[in-house]
Amino acid sequence: MGQSSSIHGVSPGGSNYRSPNPSHHRTSSSAMSNEENTSISDGNFVDQDYISELPDECLAIVFQSLSSGDRKRCSLVCQRWLRVEGQSRLRLALSAQSELLLHIPSLFSRFDSVTKLALRCDRRSISINDDALILISQKCRNLMRFKLRGCRELTDVGMAGFAQNCKNLKKFSSGSCMFGAKGMNALLDHCSSLEELSVKRLRGINDGVAAEPIGPGMAASSLKSICLKELYNGQCFGPLIIGSKNLRTLKLLRCLGDWDKLLETITNRENCLTEIHLERLQVSDIGVSAISKCSDLEILNLVKTPEVTDVGIVAMAEHCKLLRKLHIDGWRTNRIGNRGLSAIAKHSTNLQELVLIGVNPTSISLEAIVSNCQKLERLALCGSETIGDAEISCIGTKCLALKKICIKGCPVSDLGIETFALGCPNLVKIKVKKCRGVTNELADWLRVRRPFLTVNFDVEEVEAEAADARTSDGGAQEDGVEYPSIVSRVTVAANADVGVASSSNSHGRSSGFKTRFGLFGGRSIVPCTFRRWSNGTSSSNGRE
């Protein structure tokens, strides 16, 4: 336990015990008053319980620096530690099965300072109902962050009761829940401090063609981030998006319907959007051209939006000159090419991160990018048929600020990758995957030439992966950069008296949902290519 080494002379029960080394205590106690710090019994010195003199506030700080498992073990030491540990716990994650209702009073009597709560229910289990949610809200009136996953028994009534009791909420996230527009509107009407809203698979708004409009409510002035994911009637959130005056981040991911008109409406008014993600969305050059009115835009992700062409990219690049991060997944449609990329090179001089997947830049546009975007630090080129040794050599020669590069599924060989032995002086990490002309020998050679460069070459399974790609239907998804998603996990110590265990169950997508989504049902998308880089390395003989 992380704390055990710092507690001297304290038994597991928190009481005094006899030291096996009296000489040590004679020395340490010589500068202290014997009456206050030591006592003599049968010739042995006994230390005082210093932890008992530590204020509760200090003990709470110690607990907050421990892992969840260590906190649980500390809470079993004595009644005081149990109380302080419970009162100092701010985060709680619970299995939101129906049985939780019986334990809510005792559970939240112990954890009475919780500000971040996650309730998750496995799809095979019956979740908590409205009564349980309202009771939780009555016990956690200081709640600031709240997450619901798979709570299918909750309705608009429960959400309305929750919103009335938890008005200080700043972040709300729900996934695979059954409440509808009325419950969402109740949340927006009562939580005037809400800053982040994330809604995924909200089943209650799926029925009927004309869904009830959602928002903006009292949260119109406070909302800074909205994420809508896998919604059938996502356009019913239009009033909320349009009415959120201080909205900075907008993410529309795999939501059905035509979004061009809504994007035009959003951007026709004054806005402060700095980050936009459009993923597997029905949006065309009209919508992307509308985005060009967001003069403060810094981050743009266009992932598998097949109707977007060079026309939209040029309009965006000409007006969004503060762009720092750009991700484009062209999905092998070849509708974004030399013209659009050249516009990016000309106008996006502040670009720091560029990810091109399924896009075929020419040597002209690529050279323009690496020559004009002098601040470029992170670059990913994946599934491109036109990126060869000459293009890679150009990058290695001219990208002086480059720190990380990922090359996947491109016709490059050892000759091109050798450029990084001397080029890109600031390079710290290189990843090469599914490039048939690159060998493990080159990886070892690079490590010798640049000892501080992290080299990750995945070339041993290229042939097998290529065979799998040929047998797949088109191989479109194989061209994406595959990195594990980062999932925040909040763990809670099990209460020995209550017997409620924490959980972080993931929820799979139902087959019916995938069937109705059709084209937009896939999940092989890259949220951020450089969010996580694998540290594995290959081992082979080095090049002389």
Side-chain angles (χ1 to χ4, degrees):
M1 187 171 62
Q3 182 176 347
S4 60
S5 60
S6 64
I7 302 176
H8 179 68
V10 180
S11 69
S15 61
N16 295 340
Y17 77 110
R18 296 188 176 183
S19 169
N21 189 358
S23 61
H24 169 74
H25 298 296
R26 292 192 190 97
T27 303
S28 62
S29 62
S30 60
M32 306 177 186
S33 170
N34 289 336
E35 292 182 356
E36 295 178 354
N37 297 293
T38 60
S39 63
I40 302 177
S41 176
D42 298 331
N44 292 326
F45 284 83
V46 181
D47 277 353
Q48 183 179 353
D49 183 1
Y50 295 107
I51 295 297
S52 64
E53 299 179 0
L54 195 67
D56 288 352
E57 294 79 6
C58 295
L59 189 59
I61 293 175
V62 174
F63 288 155
Q64 289 172 358
S65 66
L66 301 178
S67 66
S68 181
D70 284 345
R71 289 188 66 140
K72 175 183 176 181
R73 286 183 281 272
C74 285
S75 68
L76 302 177
V77 169
C78 61
Q79 288 294 327
R80 182 194 174 216
W81 286 27
L82 178 69
R83 173 179 55 81
V84 173
E85 193 278 331
Q87 293 175 347
S88 63
R89 184 179 286 275
L90 303 179
R91 299 182 180 184
L92 207 59
L94 300 174
S95 176
Q97 298 181 14
S98 57
E99 294 82 1
L100 179 64
L101 177 61
L102 301 175
H103 306 295
I104 290 175
S106 56
L107 185 65
F108 288 98
S109 293
R110 175 186 171 189
F111 302 111
D112 57 359
S113 302
V114 172
T115 60
K116 303 175 184 179
L117 178 63
L119 300 176
R120 301 182 178 94
C121 184
D122 187 276
R123 61 181 178 178
R124 295 166 293 184
S125 305
I126 299 176
S127 74
I128 58 173
N129 56 19
D130 293 337
D131 293 336
L133 182 62
I134 294 174
L135 183 57
I136 289 174
S137 67
Q138 292 172 349
K139 300 289 185 179
C140 300
R141 292 183 180 269
N142 295 322
L143 209 59
M144 299 180 67
R145 296 188 179 185
F146 187 50
K147 179 182 293 185
L148 287 172
R149 290 291 183 271
C151 297
R152 294 173 173 80
E153 302 300 317
L154 298 180
T155 68
D156 292 333
V157 175
M159 286 301 300
F162 170 85
Q164 291 175 5
N165 294 323
C166 298
K167 297 182 179 181
N168 296 323
L169 206 65
K170 289 190 175 182
K171 184 176 181 179
F172 176 80
S173 174
S174 69
S176 301
C177 293
M178 295 300 295
F179 62 88
K182 289 184 173 61
M184 187 59 65
N185 278 321
L187 186 77
L188 296 170
D189 288 336
H190 290 92
C191 301
S192 58
S193 300
L194 192 66
E195 296 180 357
E196 296 183 37
L197 177 67
S198 178
V199 182
K200 177 180 179 181
R201 300 184 210 157
L202 188 60
R203 313 291 190 182
I205 64 171
N206 295 340
D207 298 331
V209 178
E212 178 181 342
I214 295 176
M218 296 296 294
S221 299
S222 60
L223 265 174
K224 297 179 181 179
S225 174
I226 296 177
C227 177
L228 306 179
K229 188 173 183 179
E230 296 175 9
L231 300 179
Y232 296 118
N233 292 324
Q235 281 86 358
C236 65
F237 283 86
L240 174 63
I241 300 174
I242 296 171
S244 299
K245 303 175 183 178
N246 296 308
L247 189 65
R248 298 180 62 84
T249 300
L250 176 62
K251 298 180 180 181
L252 304 174
L253 315 175
R254 303 195 286 276
C255 295
L256 292 183
D258 189 348
W259 289 86
D260 282 340
K261 185 176 180 179
L262 182 58
L263 288 173
E264 284 185 306
T265 306
I266 295 170
T267 56
N268 278 336
R269 61 170 177 80
E270 185 177 352
N271 66 82
C272 53
L273 282 167
T274 60
E275 183 175 356
I276 296 178
H277 295 241
L278 305 178
E279 179 180 304
R280 292 211 186 201
L281 212 64
Q282 186 179 338
V283 61
S284 67
D285 290 331
I286 297 174
V288 177
S289 297
I291 291 175
S292 67
K293 298 176 184 178
C294 303
S295 57
D296 295 330
L297 192 66
E298 297 181 7
I299 301 173
L300 177 62
N301 282 21
L302 294 175
V303 179
K304 291 182 171 62
T305 51
E307 296 182 37
V308 178
T309 69
D310 280 335
V311 175
I313 298 297
V314 170
M316 181 276 301
E318 288 178 347
H319 296 90
C320 301
K321 297 185 179 181
L322 299 180
L323 204 64
R324 294 185 298 107
K325 296 181 181 181
L326 177 61
H327 290 207
I328 299 177
D329 187 341
W331 215 5
R332 285 186 172 182
T333 58
N334 292 325
R335 305 191 73 179
I336 299 175
N338 186 57
R339 184 185 170 197
L341 297 177
S342 296
I344 293 171
K346 181 178 179 181
H347 301 287
S348 303
T349 55
N350 292 314
L351 201 64
Q352 298 176 5
E353 178 172 306
L354 177 62
V355 176
L356 299 177
I357 303 174
V359 177
N360 293 322
T362 65
S363 57
I364 297 175
S365 59
L366 187 62
E367 183 174 359
I369 289 175
V370 298
S371 299
N372 298 337
C373 301
Q374 292 296 313
K375 297 180 182 180
L376 192 64
E377 296 180 352
R378 297 172 296 276
L379 176 64
L381 303 169
C382 310
S384 174
E385 299 173 354
T386 59
I387 300 296
D389 290 338
E391 289 72 23
I392 296 300
S393 297
C394 178
I395 294 171
T397 303
K398 297 187 177 183
C399 262
L400 301 181
L402 196 65
K403 294 182 179 179
K404 297 179 181 179
I405 184 169
C406 174
I407 305 169
K408 178 179 178 182
C410 298
V412 300
S413 68
D414 287 353
L415 185 62
I417 303 298
E418 283 180 1
T419 310
F420 295 108
L422 297 174
C424 299
N426 293 303
L427 195 66
V428 295
K429 187 169 292 188
I430 179 173
K431 179 171 183 178
V432 179
K433 186 175 182 181
K434 291 186 179 180
C435 295
R436 303 179 67 177
V438 181
T439 64
N440 277 324
E441 287 76 11
L442 177 66
D444 291 330
W445 180 76
L446 267 180
R447 294 187 191 101
V448 173
R449 297 296 298 269
R450 299 186 67 165
F452 299 104
L453 178 64
T454 300
V455 180
N456 186 348
F457 283 15
D458 185 8
V459 297
E460 295 179 352
E461 300 179 0
V462 169
E463 293 296 334
E465 291 176 347
D468 292 340
R470 287 193 297 270
T471 58
S472 65
D473 50 350
Q477 292 186 358
E478 277 72 20
D479 290 332
V481 184
E482 299 167 2
Y483 292 94
S485 60
I486 298 179
V487 180
S488 300
R489 296 181 179 273
V490 186
T491 316
V492 62
N495 189 328
D497 298 327
V498 178
V500 179
S502 64
S503 70
S504 56
N505 298 324
S506 60
H507 305 286
R509 176 179 308 175
S510 63
S511 58
F513 184 83
K514 287 191 289 186
T515 303
R516 292 175 65 183
F517 251 89
L519 175 66
F520 298 93
R523 304 183 70 177
S524 178
I525 303 296
V526 190
C528 176
T529 300
F530 296 102
R531 185 177 294 171
R532 184 171 179 175
W533 287 71
S534 173
N535 291 323
T537 55
S538 305
S539 58
S540 296
N541 295 329
R543 175 173 298 191
E544 296 295 329

